[in-house]
Structure formats: C-alpha cells, structure tokens
C-alpha cells in the first residue's frame, strides 16, 4: 500500500518531504531538489501554478492506495489518509453510501458532502437510491482508474469554487497514458470476510425460557391472589409451554442461519498505458463482485475507461476522457423491518424452529410478527437495483502566447438507476388479506441524474526580471443538473406466484413522477504574485447565480505565504520552513431548487380530479447561500538530510452563518414553519502531519502520522429559544455541538427495589423512577468525533513490501436505536435478549445489577430512549495491512513480463473499543434520515462492517 501524502498549498500546494528531493518508493519517482522550480501542479480550470504561488491547505493522495483499493468507493478509500477528513460507511452493505466530512459539520439541515470533481466535471455524490436501502453514487467509479486525489480544505483553496466550496472540495484526476514503452497490467484479487466487531451475546433457548419465567414471576409473584405464580418454576413452566411453546429440544442460532459464513470478494482489473511523441492513451476494464453478510446482499460493478491525450500542434492539446460503469446491487431492508435478517436474526427466540416437520418454513413463529421467517423471506422477496454511469469530458488547452493559454472543458455526468422491490403474496410484508387490491407488492423506481458542465478560462503565467512570478486567471463556468424520477406500485399477485415483474400484478396502486432542475453560472477571477520564490499573495473571487436563490452570491479568498527556507539565515538542517495564512468565504447550496417558491401539492379527488393546495409557504424574504467563513494558519517544514523529517501544522476556524432553517411561525397562517437564513455554526480545530523517511538503493521506510481536532458548536438560532429536536436523538441549540444527543438522562437502578432511575434534569442532582418527571436534556455526548488520527507505515526491502494503517477516533458516542427492544427489561418478552439482561438484572440477591428488574410487559417504561443506550464510540482500528513480494521478470526467466507482485492484505483486522459495554461497530451510522447530522452515530441494525482477508496478484507486461 504505497501511499504518497502530499501536503500542498492553495489548489495544489507544497509536496512536503517528497517533491523537493530525490526519493523513489516502489514505482513512484519524485523530482530532485534542483528540479523543484519545474514542478507544475494542475488543478481544475486548467490553472497551473508552482508551489511557491500558493498559500492554502490541501492534501494530495496517490499511489497504490488507489491502485489496490481497500474499499468499493473512493470516499471510503480516503479514510485515514488525510488529516481533517472523516469518512465512514453508513453500513457494511457493499456499495453503501458514506458520510464524508472535511473539518467537521458545516450545515445543520442540509448535506455536508464535499464537492467532488472528476476530470473537471462536478459529479453526483451521496445516496442515490430510490428503492434500495442505500446506494453510493461514487461506488460507480473504479478507484483503480484514479491517478490522484486532491482534498481542498481552507478558504483560499476552495474560494474558486464559490457557492459549492463550504464543505470542502475533492478533485479527482483519472489516469493518463505515459510516453515511452507501453505497459499492460493485470490485477486479480480474491478474498473472504467476517464481521469486524460484534460483542452482542444473546441467550440460548433454555436461557430465554428462564428469562421469560423470571419476568413473569416478577410481574405476577405468589403474593398476587389472582394471577400470581406459586414460585419461579411455575412461572418458567408457564412461559415455556403457553407463550414460547418450546419443545424442550430446539435451540436455533438464528444469527448463524441468516448470515453468510464467509462472504467473498473478487476483483479484476486490466489496464493499458502507452504513447508516443504526440499521443498518449490509458484504457482499462474492471470487474468487482462483493458479497454482503446477508444472503441476498451482493454488489457487482463493471467499468470501462479510456483517456486519450493528443498534442495536435505545438499550441493545441486535446484530452478526451470517458468512464463507463454499471453496478448491480441487491440487499435486504434496513432498520427495524421484519424482513431485515440482521434485525430478525438477532431478535428471534432460539426456542423457535425455522422449519416444520415436513421441511417447509415455519410461518407461525412466536415473534413480533409470526409470518416473518427471515429464512423464508430471503431469496423469495427481493430488492435490487441497476445503476449506469456515463462520465465524459473534453478538455482543450490552447497556447495563445508563451505565457497565455486558453482552457475549455465540457463534461457530462449521466447516472441512471432502475430499482425494484418485490414482496411475495403468500407471507411477510406482501401478505395483506384485508387489502382490496390483493396480496403481493411491486415497487418500481426509475431515476436519472444528469449534469452538464462547461468552463472557459484564460490563464496567464509569467516571470518578470527573474524574481516576480505572476499567475492570473479569469473565466466563466456554467452548470445544469436535473433529476428525473418516476415510481409506481402494483398489488394483486396470484397466490403462489414468484414472478418479479409488474405484469404479474393486477392493480396499480400508486404512481408518481417529477423533474427537479437547477442551473449555476459563475464568473471567476484569480491571481497570485510571488517575489523571489519567497513571499506569495494569492486572491480569488467568484460571483455565482443559482436558480434556487433570489440573489447572486459573491465569494472570495485571500492567502499569503513566506518560505523562510529560501533565506540564508536558517541553519543548514532546515530545508523548508513555509508559513501560510488564509481567509475565504464560500457557500453551500443548502436549499432545494424550489424552496424559495410556495410549494403546491396535489392530493385527493375533487370533482374527479386532483385537488391542489399550498403545502409550504416558500421564502418570502428570499434565500441566500449558507456561508462558510474560513480562517487558516499553517506551517510546512522539512528537516535533515534530504528532508527526512517533514511535517505540517494547520489551525483553522470556520464560521458558518446564514444557515437555512425552518423557523416556527403562527399556526394561524396555515403553516407550522417558514424557511429562512437564520442560524450559525462554528468549528475550530487544528491538524498535524509528521513523517520520517529514509531510503537507499535497496531499502526505504516512510512512517507518518496525522491528527485532527475539531470542536463544532451551534452559536446562533433566531426565533424559538427552545431546542430544535431532530431525528437521530439530537437537537440544535446555541452552545451545543450540532451532533449532541438530546434525551433523558439515565441514572441506573434503584438497589432497593430494582426500579429504573432517571435524573430529573441536566443538573443530575435528583433522581426519579417516574419517567414523566425526567426532562429531555443535552447529554454532553455527541456523534461527531473530536479527535481523529492515523498512523501509516510503509516499508520496502528489495522486493519485499510491508505496510499498515492504524486509525483512531475519540471523544464521541453512538446510540443503539434498537437496544430498547433486545434490552427491554421484559417489555418485549418473546424476543431474544442479551445475556446481561438475564445475568445482570436486579434481583434481591443481586441488588447492585446494571439493569432493572425484569418485568413481563415492562418495568415502568425503563426501555424508553435515554442515555442508557448511549455508548462511547472511542476506538482504535487496524485498518489495513499488506505484505507483498515482487518477482522480477528476469528472476522468472520471462522476458515478456516485467514483474509479478503478489500480496496479502487485511482490512479492519482488529478493533479495540474503549467502552467495554459497546456491543456493535463503533463506526455505526444510519441510512434512515435525510441529512448528515441525523445519520451520524446511530446503530440502526444495518449490515455491520466486515473484516476482509484478500490475496492478490499484479502482473506487469
């Protein structure tokens, strides 16, 4: 896993410890120190600058971390590689969407995804599913086709992207052909997996019977003259015979039955790179198949890429890039759906037999819903989606004068999804005898995301008198994005039918369809001046007009830097010492395309037609972009021979005013709220990268660590002074982290009688066993980690390679959304529960237990949401380990083969959780909600993250 972490400035900055001195790691060659002046870094808009002409904060990732990705999508591949970037999958479902944050939370009620740009084209990101639980738009891109990724973080680096830069920008450049000898490469991987972290220990059949008997006896003791049991044994016998109907023999491990034992993964990639004087080409074909933990969870991806560069004349250069892909994904329902095997497999009582005596499925289970046998539903019901992407761009670069070029880039991103849900008519969700439209269910979702983007720039670069470097650019960008979607549902499948097509159903029960569209036009100017490669000032300005807002927005960024390493007064062991400072204001398109208008809805039947009514009042005061005011101070340095010790420090403050917010208004208006810009969020933090590198002809070692600290607070909300409660057990209020959990405060168990106890309020000074007296309170626990760190080690000795990555996340919490079911203190007595519920619940002989007395049908609502189900998420995870060996062609006596690299790799091999009570993966996130803050830190019975063991071969011809 050769990873090059380049720490640069503004748009594409200084390559710390690497670009300035000769190094060679694997196949990655770095320019020598005396060539540093010739290093040209190309960002978007065709802007080319030297490292001296920049003053912002950016990290560049390239190398084998992209060639041999450890995750399906590029956002998860970046996890741990960049200080200040946090990326976490929403589930272990292959192809699942991810939560990616750069320097914390920018928006309260909108998405916080960065802007992703591939070969100059802004692409669709986030969850694009219409029927599936989750589908990551970026999973349609093959990470092995990516040359490098630039992560722009501060105000001056992102200012050029104006209204889309508030959440940071990730620029992705795909691979290009190389001149010289052609290279044909084939990569093959095969792997298996199991659950990365699972500490949920559930009861066996006899234990569940004992648990139910205890709950019955506690509810109806022998002192109850009417319903009381004579003793515990009588209660247990009653529960076994009359409630669970246990045969005394069955002991079903539902979790094992509903999960694959060892989900497999296969990946193949064939690529060609070559070229001659005026023409280069890169092309590839890729295939990936990855199974999920559930039997019906699978992800297939087919990709094809071609990128050609033609130097038509000495002045004209043309680049054409096209990426084609198709993914086919299937997976179960999520969260508390009975059809979710992760949910059902955990909660079904082990006393229940999945099969009848004749071998057919048991559809009369003692369960929350008796027909939902997950073994019968898996493979009978199906949720499946096919997604296609065409991403293409044409770039023209024309040199008008030696110092003046014209750059034009036109690109298209067309992503379409065709998904369906099928439920059989005989049992499960599709069986509704009372439904007049019949049994069975078919839902079809067809979506098309289309973006075209065109920018044109004039770029000026010239040095005057050998010491005055000037770079300037002016240009215009135009973007249009549309989303068209159509859905319909049908019911009325014949009994016994398993035909998963709409024609087999009789009745159309619903149909919807609409198109959303928005346009953006931006006018951009940028300039930088460098004196004698020492001092630089950079400024950018952009004016955007957006169809979703009434007024245009103005955005800008300014940065300065001083490279003290160019001065003669520093000691000789200091190679580089660069100070940076920047300020910029960016925007976030937080509102939907039509939020400023009153929204009309059609509903019901009025005179044989749909009746229209105004459902939302719009924004009579107008809307503007959510702003992000970014301040950054940084230091880059390298010390020792060839800069062996290198690092960077950044301190930042992001103030995000003008948050789009639903403000409560008088019900007499006919509406409950109105949308306005009137909230503010602030994030403060710092980031550190430290590394040490040494190498010679046969040996190289590079060890680097990065750390980031982020503290986010809601600083202002106009209007109602009470907390704004949102999904995910959170609330917004000034002075609190936007991801802070908001619920009742659990105080434990009364040792005298086993009653549940809550604190009355945030003072935590008084307890009560009456739920109604326990106030909702801010808990001091939040879902966004304060501390994120990584240690990356790369070692090579001759043909051997060894690398690993360790990640740390600290000071955050996760919420078990369904703990109230399987640790309910008897409220759900027929479902399985944890071993702690039986062995560590209150009894006269165990007065200091951690759980209240088990009571049939519940103990004073003890399982109501509270901090009881919050856990510290702090963890250390061994993310990646790779060990490989290269067999050179000469060693194998194969002149047509340059080398064969064989390797083994492990992903998520070990997880250490600091909270010993934590039973589920500490990277838990939900798919159930609409925006980032709600989804963070919620364990929602999704498929868990997997531990992978992979064997691979890379052959270079």
């Amino acid at each position: 896993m050769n990873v090059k972490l380049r720490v640069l400035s503004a748009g594409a900055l200084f390559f710390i410890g690497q670009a300035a001195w000769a190094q060679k790691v694997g196949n990655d060659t770095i320019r020598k120190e005396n060539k540093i002046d010739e290093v040209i870094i190309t960002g978007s808009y065709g802007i080319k600058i030297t490292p001296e002409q920049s003053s912002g904060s950016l990290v560049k990732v390239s190398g084998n971390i992209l060639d041999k990705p450890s995750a399906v999508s590029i956002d998860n591949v970046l996890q741990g590689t960049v200080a200040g970037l946090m990326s976490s999958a929403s589930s272990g479902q292959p192809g699942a969407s991810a939560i990616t944050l750069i320097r914390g939370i920018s928006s309260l009620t909108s998405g916080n995804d960065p802007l992703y740009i591939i070969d100059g084209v802004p692409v669709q990101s986030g969850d694009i599913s219409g029927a599936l639980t989750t589908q990551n738009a970026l999973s349609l891109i093959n990470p092995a086709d990516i040359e490098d990724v630039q992560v722009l973080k501060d105000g001056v680096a992102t200012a050029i992207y104006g209204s889309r830069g508030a959440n940071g920008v990730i620029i992705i450049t795909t691979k290009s052909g190389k001149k010289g000898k052609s290279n044909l490469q084939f990569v093959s991987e095969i792997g298996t997996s199991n659950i990365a972290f699972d500490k949920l220990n559930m009861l066996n059949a006899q234990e569940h019977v004992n648990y139910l008997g205890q709950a019955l006896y506690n509810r109806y003791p022998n002192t109850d003259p009417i319903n009381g049991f004579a003793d515990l044994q009588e209660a247990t016998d009653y529960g076994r015979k009359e409630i669970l109907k246990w045969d005394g023999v069955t002991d079903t491990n539902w979790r094992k039955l509903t999960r694959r034992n060892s989900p497999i993964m296969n990946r193949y990639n064939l690529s060609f790179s070559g070229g001659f004087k005026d023409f280069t080409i890169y092309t590839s074909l890729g295939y990936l198949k990855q199974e999920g933990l559930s039997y019906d969870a699978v992800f297939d991806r087919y990709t094809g890429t071609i990128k050609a560069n033609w130097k038509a004349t000495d002045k004209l250069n043309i680049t054409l890039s096209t990426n084609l892909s198709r993914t086919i994904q299937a997976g179960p329902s999520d969260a508390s759906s009975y059809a979710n095997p992760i949910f059902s497999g955990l909660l079904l009582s082990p006393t229940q037999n999945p099969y009848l005596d004749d071998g057919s499925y048991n559809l009369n289970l003692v369960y929350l819903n008796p027909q939902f046998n997950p073994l019968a539903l898996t493979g009978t019901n199906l949720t499946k989606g096919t997604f296609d992407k065409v991403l293409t761009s044409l770039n023209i670069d024309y040199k008008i004068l030696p110092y003046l070029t014209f750059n034009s880039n036109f690109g298209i991103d067309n992503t379409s999804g065709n998904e369906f849900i099928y439920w059989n008519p005989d049992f499960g969700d599709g069986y509704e005898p009372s439904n007049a439209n019949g049994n069975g269910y078919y839902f079809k979702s067809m979506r098309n995301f289309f973006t075209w983007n065109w920018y044109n720039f004039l770029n000026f670069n010239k040095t005057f008198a050998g010491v005055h470097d000037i770079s300037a650019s002016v240009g215009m960008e135009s973007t249009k994005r549309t989303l068209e979607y159509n859905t319909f549902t049908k019911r009325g499948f014949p009994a016994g039918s398993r035909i998963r097509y709409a024609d087999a159903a009789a009745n159309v029960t619903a149909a919807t369809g609409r198109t959303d569209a928005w346009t953006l036009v931006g006018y951009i100017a940028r300039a930088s001046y460098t004196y004698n490669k020492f001092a630089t000032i950079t400024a950018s300005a952009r004016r955007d007009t957006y169809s979703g807002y009434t007024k245009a927005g103005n955005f800008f960024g300014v940065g300065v830097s001083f490279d003290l390493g160019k001065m003669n007064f520093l000691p000789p062991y200091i190679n580089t010492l660069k100070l940076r400072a920047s300020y910029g204001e960016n925007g976030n398109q937080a509102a939907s395309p039509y939020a400023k208008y009153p929204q009309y809805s059609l509903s019901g039947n009025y005179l044989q037609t749909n009746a229209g009514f105004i459902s939302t009042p719009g924004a009579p005061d107008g809307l503007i972009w959510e702003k992000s005011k970014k301040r950054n101070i940084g230091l880059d340095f390298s010390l020792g021979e060839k800069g062996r010790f290198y690092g960077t420090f950044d301190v930042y403050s992001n103030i995000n005013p003008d948050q789009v917010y639903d403000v409560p208004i008088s019900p007499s208006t006919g509406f409950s709220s109105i949308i306005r810009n009137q909230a503010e969020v602030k994030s403060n933090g710092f980031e550190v990268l430290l590394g040490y590198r040494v190498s010679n002809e046969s040996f190289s070692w590079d060890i680097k660590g990065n750390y980031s600290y982020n503290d986010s607070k809601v600083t202002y909300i106009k209007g109602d002074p009470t907390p704004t409660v949102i999904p995910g057990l959170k609330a917004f209020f000034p002075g609190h982290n936007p991801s802070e959990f908001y619920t009742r405060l659990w105080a434990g168990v009364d040792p005298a009688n086993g009653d549940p106890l809550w604190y009355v309020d945030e003072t935590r000074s008084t307890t009560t066993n009456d739920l109604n007296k326990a106030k909702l309170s801010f808990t001091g626990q939040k879902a966004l980690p304060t501390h994120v760190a990584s240690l990356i080690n790369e070692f090579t000795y001759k043909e051997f390679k060894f690398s690993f990555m360790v990640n740390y996340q600290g000071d955050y919490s996760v919420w078990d959304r369904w703990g109230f079911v399987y640790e309910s203190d008897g409220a759900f007595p027929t479902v399985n529960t944890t071993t702690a519920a039986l062995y560590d619940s209150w009894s006269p002989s165990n007065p200091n237990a951690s759980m209240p007395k088990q009571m049939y049908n519940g103990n004073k609502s003890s399982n109501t949401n509270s901090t009881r189900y919050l856990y510290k998420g702090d963890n250390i995870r061994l993310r990646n380990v790779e060990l490989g060996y290269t067999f050179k062609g000469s060693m194998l006596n194969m002149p047509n083969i340059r080398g064969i690299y064989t390797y083994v790799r492990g992903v998520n091999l070990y997880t250490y959780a600091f909270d010993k009570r934590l039973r589920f993966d500490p990277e838990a996130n939900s798919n159930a909600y609409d925006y980032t803050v709600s989804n963070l830190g919620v364990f929602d019975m999704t498929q868990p993250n997997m531990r992978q063991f992979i064997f691979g071969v890379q052959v270079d011809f």
Side-chain angles (χ1 to χ4, degrees), residues 379-564:
T380 304
N381 294 353
L382 182 64
T383 302
K384 186 176 181 180
T386 300
F387 297 83
D388 296 304
K389 177 183 278 289
V390 177
L391 176 62
T392 185
S393 64
L394 176 65
N395 186 279
I396 296 175
D397 197 83
Y398 184 77
K399 185 181 291 186
I400 302 172
L401 296 170
Y403 48 82
L404 182 66
T405 61
F406 170 73
N407 183 261
S408 180
N409 192 96
F410 181 80
I412 290 173
D413 174 21
N414 187 71
T415 303
S416 61
N418 188 338
E419 306 164 76
F420 73 87
I421 298 173
Y422 166 80
W423 295 340
N424 80 86
D426 301 315
F427 56 89
D429 286 298
Y431 182 67
E432 292 186 30
S434 62
N435 194 311
N437 290 303
N439 290 318
Y441 175 84
Y442 185 87
F443 172 78
K444 187 76 167 182
S445 170
M446 294 164 287
R447 292 187 166 200
N448 184 259
F449 302 82
F450 182 81
T451 301
W452 66 260
N453 186 82
W454 191 12
Y455 65 74
N456 296 278
F457 268 75
L458 281 173
N459 298 310
F460 175 89
N461 288 276
K462 191 176 175 103
T463 300
F464 297 91
V467 295
H468 304 286
D469 293 335
I470 297 177
S471 170
S473 301
V474 293
M476 175 182 176
E477 181 178 24
S478 182
T479 304
K480 183 174 183 179
R481 176 168 290 177
T482 60
L483 164 60
E484 180 181 0
Y485 59 93
N486 294 278
T487 68
F488 69 85
T489 60
K490 293 190 74 174
R491 299 190 67 96
F493 286 84
S497 171
R498 297 295 182 266
I499 301 174
R500 298 165 177 164
Y501 294 98
D503 277 355
N507 302 306
V508 177
T509 57
T512 62
R514 62 180 292 179
T515 297
D516 292 336
W518 60 258
T519 58
L520 175 73
V521 177
Y523 302 90
I524 306 136
R526 178 199 170 276
S528 68
Y529 167 73
T530 301
Y531 174 72
N532 200 26
K533 302 187 185 333
F534 161 68
T536 295
I537 183 170
T538 300
S540 298
R542 177 165 178 151
R543 180 176 176 84
D544 279 344
T545 57
Y546 169 55
S547 58
Y549 292 147
T550 307
K551 300 178 182 179
N554 298 312
F555 310 94
F556 68 92
V558 179
V560 295
S561 66
F562 301 92
D563 189 353
L564 303 180

Side-chain angles (χ1 to χ4, degrees), residues 765-809:
S765 58
T766 305
T767 62
T768 180
N769 65 355
D770 184 350
L771 178 70
N772 296 319
K773 295 180 180 179
K775 295 181 180 179
L776 295 174
S777 303
F778 282 103
T779 63
Q781 297 174 253
K782 54 192 177 58
L784 180 66
T786 302
H787 312 283
V788 178
S790 293
L791 177 66
I792 303 171
N793 184 82
E794 302 164 14
F795 175 86
T796 65
Y797 177 71
K798 294 184 178 180
E799 282 69 48
F800 285 98
K801 292 184 180 180
F802 174 68
S803 63
F804 65 80
M805 177 190 295
V806 178
N807 296 153
Y808 165 73
Q809 292 183 326

Side-chain angles (χ1 to χ4, degrees), residues 70 878-882 904-909 948-950:
S70 58
L878 181 57
R879 181 73 58 185
N880 292 313
V881 176
E882 182 171 315
V904 291
R905 183 168 70 249
V907 181
N908 293 336
L909 288 183
Q948 293 180 296
F949 306 91
I950 299 168

Side-chain angles (χ1 to χ4, degrees), residues 115 240 261 316 521 530 561 569 593 799 933:
L115 171 66
R240 174 176 64 83
N261 183 37
L316 178 63
V521 177
T530 301
S561 66
F569 61 80
E799 282 69 48
V933 181

Side-chain angles (χ1 to χ4, degrees), residues 844-867:
S845 61
N846 187 21
N848 296 316
S850 65
M851 295 190 185
K853 179 196 294 187
Q854 308 297 323
M855 300 279 284
Y856 189 78
N857 290 332
N859 184 352
K860 297 185 178 180
S861 300
S862 62
N863 63 330
T864 301
N865 283 333
S866 71
T867 54

